[in-house]
């Protein structure tokens, strides 16, 4: 899996954890091991510009996903997943810190960025949360991936509750 993490935010983040959880999520979703993903970490000004440009919404947001080849997980275990460019995930650590601080189960900015990375991966794979059924599926999958990743690393405590809307 080729995953690039580029921190342009000026904020120190755990880039290795972002890389590791992205790789874990893509493997768990059975995405071809030669597929490519880019993760960009930006400040609030850059995120706000993207949010306005692409969503026509004011203010910065936590995560945005920009799919390229519209890859999807294979429907059956025996199917060979297609290879391609997944696209870009853009993260904003300042928004992540605020969300982690305000979450019912307070957690660190880095834990929130890990959750948002999985959220972004799922968006790249076609998952969405516009309607209740889709939201339940996406957020359930997101929690399972984050919990699985944390469990493999022996991290204790509850994983962050979804703070993205």
């Amino acid at each position: 899996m080729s995953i690039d993490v580029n921190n342009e935010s000026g904020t120190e983040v755990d880039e290795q954890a972002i890389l590791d959880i992205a790789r874990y999520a893509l493997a768990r979703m059975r995405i071809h091991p030669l597929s490519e993903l880019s993760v960009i970490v930006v400040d609030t000004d850059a995120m706000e510009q993207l949010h306005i440009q692409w969503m026509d919404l004011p203010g910065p947001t936590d995560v945005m996903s920009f799919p390229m080849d519209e890859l999807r997980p294979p429907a059956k275990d025996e199917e060979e997943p297609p290879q391609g460019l997944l696209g870009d995930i853009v993260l904003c650590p300042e928004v992540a810190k605020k969300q982690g601080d305000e979450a019912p189960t307070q957690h660190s900015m880095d834990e929130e960025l890990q959750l948002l990375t999985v959220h972004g991966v799922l968006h790249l794979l076609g998952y969405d949360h516009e309607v209740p059924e889709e939201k339940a599926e996406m957020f359930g999958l997101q929690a399972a991936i984050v919990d699985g990743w944390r469990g493999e690393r022996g991290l204790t405590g509850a994983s962050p509750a979804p703070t993205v809307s």
Side-chain angles (χ1 to χ4, degrees):
M1 198 73 56
S2 174
I3 302 172
D4 292 320
V5 178
N6 184 13
N7 186 356
E8 300 173 0
S9 71
T11 300
E12 188 174 323
V13 301
D14 188 344
E15 293 177 34
Q16 188 62 51
I18 291 170
L19 175 71
D20 290 347
I21 201 163
R23 182 170 284 122
Y24 179 87
L26 293 169
R28 179 118 177 222
M29 297 303 295
R30 299 190 58 245
I31 299 304
H32 197 285
L34 296 178
S35 295
E36 298 176 37
L37 170 67
S38 174
V39 180
I40 305 146
V41 184
V42 300
D43 63 20
T44 54
D45 291 338
M47 184 59 99
E48 181 173 20
Q49 289 176 353
L50 290 170
H51 203 213
I52 291 168
Q53 179 181 356
W54 294 101
M55 303 296 288
D56 200 24
L57 295 170
T61 190
D62 50 7
V63 60
M64 292 184 73
S65 298
F66 299 93
M68 295 289 286
D69 289 343
E70 297 185 11
L71 298 178
R72 301 292 182 262
K76 299 178 184 170
D77 286 343
E78 65 273 3
E79 287 182 17
E80 178 69 21
Q83 175 184 342
L85 299 173
L86 284 156
D88 299 324
I89 297 171
V90 183
L91 302 169
C92 185
E94 293 163 273
V95 175
K97 177 167 181 14
K98 183 176 186 241
Q99 289 179 171
D101 290 345
E102 295 174 355
T105 55
Q106 286 187 344
H107 50 272
S108 72
M109 175 192 70
D110 283 317
E111 289 171 312
E112 183 72 8
L113 287 171
Q114 294 154 19
L115 175 78
L116 294 172
T117 299
V118 173
H119 190 84
V121 164
L122 292 174
H123 273 309
L124 290 178
L125 297 177
Y127 290 87
D128 209 343
H129 45 84
E130 293 299 314
V131 298
E133 297 81 18
E134 291 175 347
K135 183 175 182 175
E137 178 185 19
M138 183 177 181
F139 281 48
L141 190 53
Q142 176 179 291
I145 292 169
V146 171
D147 288 346
W149 182 79
R150 289 177 56 82
E152 282 190 7
R153 279 148 192 79
L155 301 172
T156 59
S159 65
T163 54
V164 286
S165 53

